[in-house]
């Protein structure tokens, strides 16, 4: 209940100074009116039902999040006006949301607005505060919805061509005599055309050269695990705020591409995860013991207290991409970490044949030496850089990433 207004105290003082029953009757009438209205407002506000509803608590950067504020008055007394103030994440909305609505007896009012997810991260909406009163503004009652509503913004996931990469990359496979499947990303040569070969398989260059219709001969391969390695060491970037977001987007897109190819995927990132302990514990709990342990006698980096990098073990399917996106949504840059050393240490924990997809600002001499050595140890490497030239190197390939245009997130 609000305090008695100043005019009521002035009326009481005047009743003491000027004798007469009519003035005291006016005091009693005004006091009773104030008490009745104040009690009615307090009673109605205590029963006012307020909720905040999000369409989803997970979305991708570049998407919009619809939010609904719902005010329901279950009492028989109307609320003449209700002013609300909704706190929103300053990173996504510069100003709080404010407005005024009225509620008849038993009426429900809805306020709808949209938050644009400008960048990845973890956010929370709230608290929501409101003030209600009588039509003349003489009586006011305040309330609050203190509960915060959290949501997570994932990094963008885009098709590889938007990153300046081919639509299909020769990643995560080794040649084998067992013909499990043909990889269209690696052409082994040409063969005579066979009835039933699709038009997209025609090898036009060989056809023109030989004068006989020829089809592409693809290399036969078997899928092997892959690990996406992300460098978030601040000292390695020229402009960390903008370049790091492109690197995170590339890592998320590569992980999604690998999962779509039904490969097991792990994540290594030289950054700081605010929930590292909880994420690692959940990851280890969700992975079979023999898989989480890696090679015999080895221990996952997340299980070592001295580990400075974020590491998620190999997983497959929606569980893998979901866990990776959760980490990439909240991970932050770190300082003083050696990316090449972290990759070398964690590569030993992964099965032989695991493809390492390295995302980093540039190709340094130390990193180039590591990328040349790892394939000889049975771990192929693809290096993705923000600055540098694409091309084949000694035992590995380098791809330069290009800036992505704003657009819709592609996840399917």
């Amino acid at each position: 209940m609000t305090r008695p207004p100043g005019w009521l105290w002035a009326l009481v003082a005047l009743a003491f100074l000027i004798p007469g029953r009519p003035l005291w009757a006016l005091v009693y009438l005004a006091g009773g009116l104030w008490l009745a209205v104040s009690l009615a407002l307090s009673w109605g506000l205590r029963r006012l039902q307020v909720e905040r509803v999000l369409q989803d608590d997970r979305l991708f950067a570049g998407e919009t999040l619809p939010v609904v504020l719902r005010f329901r008055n279950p009492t028989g007394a109307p609320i003449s006006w209700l002013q609300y103030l909704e706190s929103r994440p300053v990173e996504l909305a510069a100003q709080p949301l404010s407005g005024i609505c009225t509620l008849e007896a038993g009426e429900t009012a809805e306020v709808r607005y949209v938050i644009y997810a400008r960048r990845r991260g973890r956010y929370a909406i709230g608290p929501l505060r409101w003030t209600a009163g009588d039509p003349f503004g003489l009586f006011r009652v305040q309330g609050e919805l203190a509960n915060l509503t959290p949501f997570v913004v994932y990094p963008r996931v885009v098709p590889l061509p938007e990153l300046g990469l081919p639509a299909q990359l020769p990643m995560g496979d080794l040649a084998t005599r067992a013909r499990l499947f043909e990889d269209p990303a690696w052409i082994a040569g040409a063969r005579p055309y066979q009835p039933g070969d699709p038009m997209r398989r025609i090898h036009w260059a060989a056809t023109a050269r030989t004068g006989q219709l020829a089809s592409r001969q693809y290399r036969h391969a078997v899928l092997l695990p892959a690990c996406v390695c992300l460098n978030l060491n601040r000292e390695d970037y020229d402009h960390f705020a903008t370049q790091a977001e492109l690197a995170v987007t590339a890592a998320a897109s590569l992980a999604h591409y690998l999962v779509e190819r039904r490969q097991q995927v792990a994540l290594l990132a030289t950054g700081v995860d605010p929930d590292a302990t909880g994420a690692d514990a959940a990851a280890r709990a969700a992975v079979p013991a023999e898989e989480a342990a890696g090679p015999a006698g080895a221990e996952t980096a997340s299980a070592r207290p001295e580990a400075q990098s974020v590491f998620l073990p190999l997983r497959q399917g929606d569980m893998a991409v979901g866990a990776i996106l959760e980490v990439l949504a909240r991970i932050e840059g770190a300082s003083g970490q050696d990316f090449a050393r972290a990759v070398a240490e964690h590569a030993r924990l992964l099965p032989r044949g695991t493809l390492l997809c390295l995302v980093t600002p540039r190709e340094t001499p130390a990193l180039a030496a590591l990328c040349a050595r790892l394939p000889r140890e049975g771990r192929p490497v693809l290096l993705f850089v923000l600055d540098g030239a694409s091309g084949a190197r000694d035992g590995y390939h380098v791809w330069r990433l290009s800036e992505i245009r704003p657009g819709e997130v592609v996840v399917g």
Side-chain angles (χ1 to χ4, degrees):
M1 186 186 304
T2 59
R3 293 182 302 174
W7 58 265
L8 183 58
W9 292 115
L11 196 59
V12 171
L14 189 63
F16 276 106
L17 295 177
I18 302 177
R21 289 187 176 182
L23 191 57
W24 277 109
L26 181 62
V27 170
Y28 295 148
L29 178 62
L33 178 63
W34 171 83
L35 184 62
V37 174
S38 183
L39 285 175
L41 280 175
S42 298
W43 177 75
L45 262 294
R46 281 197 303 268
R47 287 159 178 77
L48 181 67
Q49 299 173 1
V50 181
E51 63 176 338
R52 181 189 301 111
V53 181
L54 304 186
Q55 187 178 54
D56 199 353
D57 61 354
R58 296 292 189 276
L59 69 157
F60 288 86
E63 294 183 336
T64 55
L65 176 65
V67 183
V68 178
L69 299 178
R70 191 169 291 132
F71 302 92
R72 181 174 181 271
N73 179 15
T75 68
I79 298 177
S80 302
W81 60 270
L82 185 145
Q83 184 179 21
Y84 56 86
L85 182 67
E86 170 90 310
S87 298
R88 300 181 291 180
V90 294
E91 299 88 350
L92 304 182
Q95 300 293 333
L97 177 75
S98 60
I100 298 178
C101 64
T102 61
L103 289 171
E104 298 295 335
E107 184 185 7
T108 299
E110 290 187 350
V111 177
R112 298 176 181 270
Y113 69 93
V114 173
I115 289 181
Y116 179 70
R118 293 185 177 89
R119 58 165 297 163
R120 64 183 179 90
R122 293 187 304 176
Y123 304 97
I125 305 175
L128 170 65
R129 298 180 177 89
W130 67 85
T131 303
D134 67 289
F136 304 101
L138 300 177
F139 310 98
R140 296 190 176 190
V141 178
Q142 296 180 340
E144 180 183 37
L145 178 64
N147 295 336
L148 303 181
T149 305
F151 64 96
V152 177
V153 178
Y154 291 149
R156 288 187 62 189
V157 174
V158 300
L160 296 186
E162 288 197 24
L163 295 168
L165 304 175
Q168 292 184 332
L169 293 175
M171 53 200 316
D173 39 31
L174 290 178
T176 175
R177 293 181 181 177
R179 297 193 174 188
L180 298 183
F181 73 95
E182 292 180 319
D183 185 356
W186 277 352
I187 301 176
R191 61 167 175 78
Y193 174 81
Q194 297 176 359
D197 286 346
M199 287 295 294
R200 64 176 178 272
R201 185 162 186 160
I202 301 300
H203 199 308
W204 296 109
T207 300
R209 185 173 60 253
T210 62
Q212 300 290 332
L213 198 59
S215 297
R216 292 187 180 94
Q217 179 72 48
Y218 296 125
R219 183 175 177 179
H220 294 89
V222 56
L223 289 177
L224 288 175
C227 180
V228 177
C229 305
L230 174 62
N231 182 6
L232 286 181
N233 185 47
R234 293 180 179 273
E235 289 82 2
D236 294 338
Y237 287 84
D238 296 328
H239 305 284
F240 181 82
T242 56
Q243 291 180 323
E245 293 308 308
L246 175 58
V248 173
T249 298
S253 302
L254 288 169
H256 181 260
Y257 173 83
L258 290 164
V259 169
E260 278 195 327
R261 290 169 59 90
R262 301 179 183 179
Q263 294 181 245
Q264 289 184 315
V265 184
L267 174 69
L268 167 66
T270 53
V272 177
D273 182 3
D275 292 349
T277 303
D280 294 336
R284 291 195 298 271
V287 178
E290 62 276 9
E291 180 182 327
E299 164 179 55
T300 59
S302 58
R304 300 200 307 264
E306 70 274 16
Q308 298 297 316
S309 302
V310 179
F311 179 71
L312 291 180
L314 289 168
R315 281 190 282 185
Q316 194 170 11
D318 293 340
M319 182 181 296
V321 72
I324 290 174
L325 289 176
E326 287 285 340
V327 172
L328 293 180
R330 61 179 182 258
I331 196 168
E332 302 169 359
S335 300
Q337 298 199 32
D338 189 334
F339 180 63
R341 179 179 178 181
V343 172
E345 290 178 352
H346 288 80
R348 296 194 299 265
L349 304 176
L350 296 167
R352 183 177 176 83
T354 300
L355 173 74
L356 301 176
C357 300
L358 279 53
V359 182
T360 186
R362 60 183 57 86
E363 183 182 11
T364 62
L367 192 58
L370 175 65
C371 292
R373 175 172 59 85
L374 287 173
R376 295 195 294 267
E377 298 175 356
R379 293 176 177 86
V381 174
L382 288 179
L383 181 61
F384 302 90
V385 297
L386 305 181
D387 184 16
S390 300
R393 303 290 194 269
D394 183 15
Y396 63 99
H397 198 100
V398 178
W399 304 91
R400 177 170 180 171
L401 302 170
S402 61
E403 293 288 341
I404 55 177
R405 303 183 304 274
E408 294 185 358
V409 176
V410 178
V411 176

